[in-house]
Amino acid sequence: QWHAEQQAEDQMASLQKMQAAQKVPCVRIGAGGQRMEVDLDPVNLVPGDIIFLEAGNRIPADVRILYCSDGMEVDNSALTGESMPEPRHTKTEPPSCPPTEARNLAFFGTTVLKGNA
């Protein structure tokens, strides 16, 4: 059991290193209310940051989609095991919709296959 836990920890560390290599284009509101456009390491993202994603990008954090191109798709196979890409949109889902099924959310570690947000 210890060996399996060690392997899982090593795999997570590898994923985090791979993810940390890419800076994320972001808009953040400064202390004085001014808009700042910055490129941040994913570990420095905080709630309220607005990030920009393109096809081929790995999603650096769990995010709510505020804007996306028509036909945007993400690969959630790392989370769900399903091989089919899942469409994304900006429409708010009803409160009864579980987050895993919400089409206006994208999750850490998944990949944008088509479109941008």
Side-chain angles (χ1 to χ4, degrees):
Q1 182 179 8
W2 174 84
H3 187 267
E5 289 177 12
Q6 188 63 43
Q7 278 184 316
E9 287 179 19
D10 291 344
Q11 289 173 348
M12 286 302 296
S14 295
L15 282 172
Q16 288 173 341
K17 284 180 187 174
M18 182 173 61
Q19 189 72 17
Q22 298 178 342
K23 296 258 187 190
V24 179
C26 173
V27 172
R28 183 177 276 184
I29 303 300
Q34 74 278 15
R35 175 186 164 138
M36 304 181 317
E37 294 186 23
V38 293
D39 289 336
L40 296 174
D41 289 321
V43 296
N44 294 325
L45 292 173
V46 296
D49 285 343
I50 298 172
I51 63 171
F52 300 96
L53 301 169
E54 296 177 338
N57 288 150
R58 293 187 66 86
I59 298 173
D62 292 346
V63 297
R64 180 170 311 277
I65 297 172
L66 303 175
Y67 165 83
C68 68
S69 58
D70 288 338
M72 180 183 172
E73 294 180 340
V74 295
D75 175 11
N76 280 345
S77 61
L79 298 176
T80 63
E82 292 189 28
S83 60
M84 296 298 295
E86 296 184 14
R88 290 293 178 252
H89 58 71
T90 58
K91 297 177 194 148
T92 304
E93 299 287 353
S96 61
C97 181
T100 54
E101 294 179 19
R103 299 292 176 241
N104 65 336
L105 300 177
F107 301 101
F108 170 78
T110 60
T111 306
V112 179
L113 294 178
K114 184 172 141 186
N116 59 49

